[in-house]
């Protein structure tokens, strides 16, 4: 399965020379996919420091929300996240003390036995009600902040302390990926069950079982699962209807087991010393950003005759990596509806993911790096990033997210079809489901090329 955290294979490029036209307003830049960022003129190290501090503060705030929503009213919230997440120029010692108090005691309590403060709002104990939406939102905000910090360290690494950045990036990627797996399995199961319902008509499917409580599998009547039954069941679709019910039960067993394991892994991660070390470093980042010697000297003692350290060349380098990766995609083929390119090698016995999907997944990661670099340039701490969002980038990112989800769902259906000794009708239903999800991959590619080739549009 494709990883859901940012871990680009390309190393961070060294700082290139200043680009003569970093605003990207020329026609050639538009053809290459320039986002038309229009960064502010003072995009220097102060903007980078402010962005990293803001994301570190959001990380600690989300950690505290996640702990409070998962432990219930009986556990007093630790004060570490509040003290370590100050927005002012707090002392390093104070931030470290806050991280020790908040992350080591509070996080361990929040993931203790019987609480099940999972990464996706799951819960434990047969008598506990479903957690509030705040738990899921806090976990999502935690992953969101971790991704942005990791991406910023990758893009602007020449301006940061090299050893510190190289040590932080893998840890943040590990945390974001670990917390995302449970949600990935849950959404994948929901997607596949809805597709089976849509393809088979009126067949009822097992509802996804919640993690952390023992329940009996229930069936969902037609029209209740969120996808209305568009066509009644007919005799000539009997094999698909019967096989779809068994296929849904098989997928439910396999993906629920995978989700349960991801839930346990997330609980262990949130209570591990590795996570505590990451939280401590993020708490220190909220008060002090380790810069490189060049960036630190320029920020500490600026001279009138010295050129300021500009972030735009590094952001431009990230944009150029994205442009080169998009240029390597078969956008001409993707622009033809029903080209069936995504179905190539559909009957291959190789269980590995489709090799043609890898370049699209890489573009998705590079697009995120580009978006987060634009946020840093725009000064996200002051709330200016949302005001300069490019609609074209948002639409392209959503299309690539659908591409990833459909590709992983198709791989899950193919993996279930390889289960030994399943009925022919079940294998047939899983094959139809696999083809349906590969068609979704094709549709997502078409939507991406349609969005990417549009002229840049700025939100007012």
């Amino acid at each position: 399965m494709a990883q859901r955290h940012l871990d680009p294979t390309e190393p961070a490029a060294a700082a290139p020379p200043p680009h003569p036209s970093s605003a990207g307003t020329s026609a050639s830049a538009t053809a290459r996919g320039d986002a038309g960022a229009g960064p502010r003129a003072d995009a220097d190290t102060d903007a980078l420091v402010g962005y990293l501090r803001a994301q570190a503060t959001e990380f600690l705030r989300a950690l505290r929300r996640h702990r409070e929503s998962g432990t219930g009213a009986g556990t007093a919230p630790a004060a570490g996240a509040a003290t370590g997440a100050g927005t002012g120029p707090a002392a390093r010692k104070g931030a470290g003390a806050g991280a020790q108090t908040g992350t080591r005691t509070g996080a361990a309590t929040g993931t203790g036995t019987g609480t099940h403060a999972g990464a996706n709002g799951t819960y434990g104990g047969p008598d506990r009600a479903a957690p509030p939406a705040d738990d899921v939102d806090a976990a999502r905000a935690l992953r969101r902040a971790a991704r942005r910090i990791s991406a910023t360290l990758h893009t602007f690494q020449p301006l940061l302390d090299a050893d510190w950045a190289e040590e932080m990036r893998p840890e943040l990627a590990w945390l974001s990926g670990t917390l995302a797996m449970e949600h990935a399995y849950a959404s994948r199961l929901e997607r596949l069950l809805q597709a089976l319902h849509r393809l088979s008509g009126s067949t009822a499917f097992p509802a996804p079982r919640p993690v952390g409580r023992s329940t009996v599998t229930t069936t969902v009547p037609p029209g209740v699962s969120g996808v209305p039954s568009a066509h009644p069941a007919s005799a000539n679709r009997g094999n698909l209807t019967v096989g779809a019910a068994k296929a849904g039960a098989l997928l439910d067993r396999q993906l629920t087991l995978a989700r349960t394991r991801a839930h346990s892994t997330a609980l262990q991660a949130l209570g591990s010393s590795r996570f505590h070390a990451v939280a401590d470093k993020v708490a220190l980042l909220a008060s002090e950003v380790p810069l490189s010697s060049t960036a630190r000297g320029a920020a500490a003692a600026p001279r009138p005759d010295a050129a300021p350290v500009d972030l735009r060349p590094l952001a431009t380098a990230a944009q150029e990596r994205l442009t080169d990766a998009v240029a390597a995609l078969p956008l001409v083929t993707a622009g033809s509806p029903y080209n069936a390119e995504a179905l190539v090698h559909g009957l291959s016995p190789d269980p590995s993911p489709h090799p043609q999907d890898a370049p699209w997944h890489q573009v998705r990661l590079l697009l995120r790096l580009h978006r987060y670099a634009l946020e840093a340039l725009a000064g996200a701490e002051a709330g200016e990033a949302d005001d300069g969002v490019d609609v074209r980038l948002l639409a392209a990112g959503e299309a690539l997210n659908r591409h990833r989800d459909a590709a992983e769902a198709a791989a899950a259906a193919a993996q279930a079809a390889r289960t030994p000794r399943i009925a022919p009708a079940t294998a047939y239903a899983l094959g139809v489901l696999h083809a349906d999800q590969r068609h979704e991959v094709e549709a997502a590619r078409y939507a991406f090329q349609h969005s990417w080739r549009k002229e840049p549009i700025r939100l007012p």
Side-chain angles (χ1 to χ4, degrees):
M1 299 299 174
Q3 294 294 327
R4 289 181 170 252
H5 55 76
L6 286 172
D7 190 12
T9 55
E10 299 181 4
H19 200 278
S21 178
S22 57
T25 56
S26 63
S28 59
T30 302
R32 294 173 53 191
D34 193 353
R40 62 185 187 184
D42 57 341
D44 53 8
T45 53
D46 291 339
L48 176 63
V49 169
Y51 182 75
L52 286 174
R53 284 181 176 176
Q55 296 305 322
T57 302
E58 181 62 26
F59 180 96
L60 297 174
R61 185 181 295 114
L63 177 60
R64 182 175 183 178
R65 287 172 50 201
H66 184 272
R67 183 171 59 248
E68 290 175 348
S69 61
T71 57
T75 303
T83 57
T87 56
R92 187 183 185 93
K93 181 178 179 181
Q100 295 288 340
T101 304
T103 59
R104 295 193 179 276
T105 60
T109 304
T111 56
T113 304
T115 60
H116 277 208
N120 189 36
T122 53
Y123 46 95
D127 300 328
R128 285 198 61 181
D134 291 343
D135 195 8
V136 181
D137 295 338
R140 185 180 295 109
L142 195 64
R143 301 198 311 266
R144 178 180 181 273
R147 287 197 309 265
R148 279 164 167 77
I149 296 175
S150 178
T152 305
L153 299 185
H154 178 272
T155 303
F156 302 102
Q157 182 175 351
L159 301 180
L160 302 168
D161 184 82
D163 296 336
W164 172 81
E166 285 296 331
E167 184 180 357
M168 279 287 291
R169 280 183 51 225
E171 297 303 301
L172 291 170
W174 160 78
L175 176 62
S176 177
T178 302
L179 297 182
M181 290 310 299
E182 183 182 358
H183 172 73
Y185 286 120
S187 61
R188 193 172 306 151
L189 177 59
E190 181 182 3
R191 179 187 186 92
L192 289 172
L193 292 183
Q194 288 182 353
L196 281 172
H197 190 192
R198 170 172 49 83
L199 293 170
S200 64
S202 60
T203 303
F205 298 103
R209 292 172 293 189
V211 179
R213 66 160 73 182
S214 57
T215 57
V216 180
T217 302
T218 59
T219 58
V220 180
V224 178
S225 65
V227 179
S229 178
H231 305 283
S234 57
N236 60 353
R237 290 167 53 181
N239 288 337
L240 179 59
T241 301
V242 173
K246 296 182 179 180
L250 177 60
L251 289 170
D252 177 66
R253 288 195 301 270
Q254 292 184 349
L255 293 179
T256 300
L257 177 60
R259 182 187 177 188
T260 304
R261 291 174 176 172
H263 175 78
S264 301
T265 302
L267 289 179
Q268 295 175 2
L270 290 176
S272 65
S273 59
R274 183 179 183 182
F275 170 73
H276 295 156
V278 174
D280 290 347
K281 293 177 181 178
V282 174
L284 296 178
L285 180 63
S287 61
E288 181 179 351
V289 177
L291 299 175
S292 63
S293 57
T294 303
R296 187 169 57 250
R303 294 179 302 174
D305 57 341
V309 178
D310 196 355
L311 304 182
R312 287 171 293 183
L314 294 174
T316 302
Q319 176 188 323
E320 291 175 351
R321 289 193 294 268
L322 170 63
T323 302
D324 295 340
V326 172
L329 295 177
L331 294 183
V332 177
T333 303
S336 302
Y338 308 106
N339 57 77
E341 182 68 20
L343 297 176
V344 177
H345 307 298
L347 297 178
S348 173
D350 188 3
S352 61
H354 278 243
Q356 60 173 287
D357 294 340
W360 296 86
H361 295 329
Q362 180 67 13
V363 168
R364 173 180 168 272
L365 298 182
L366 294 175
L367 180 60
R368 275 190 170 181
L369 290 177
H370 176 50
R371 282 181 49 215
Y372 298 158
L374 294 181
E375 290 182 5
L377 291 179
E381 187 180 20
E384 301 172 5
D386 294 337
D387 298 335
V389 175
D390 189 349
V391 177
R392 187 174 62 107
L393 290 182
L394 291 179
E398 292 175 357
L400 291 177
N401 287 338
R402 294 195 302 270
H403 177 275
R404 176 205 58 192
D405 294 341
E408 293 179 350
Q415 182 65 28
R418 296 186 182 94
T419 304
R421 297 183 297 277
I422 60 176
T426 305
Y428 174 68
L430 290 172
V432 173
L433 180 61
H434 175 268
D436 174 75
Q437 293 303 304
R438 294 306 300 179
H439 278 297
E440 294 290 335
V441 169
E442 177 185 315
R445 294 177 181 177
Y446 176 81
F448 171 79
Q449 71 84 28
H450 184 70
S451 301
W452 187 258
R453 293 182 181 276
K454 285 184 177 180
E455 292 293 330
I457 301 175
R458 309 294 297 176
L459 286 177

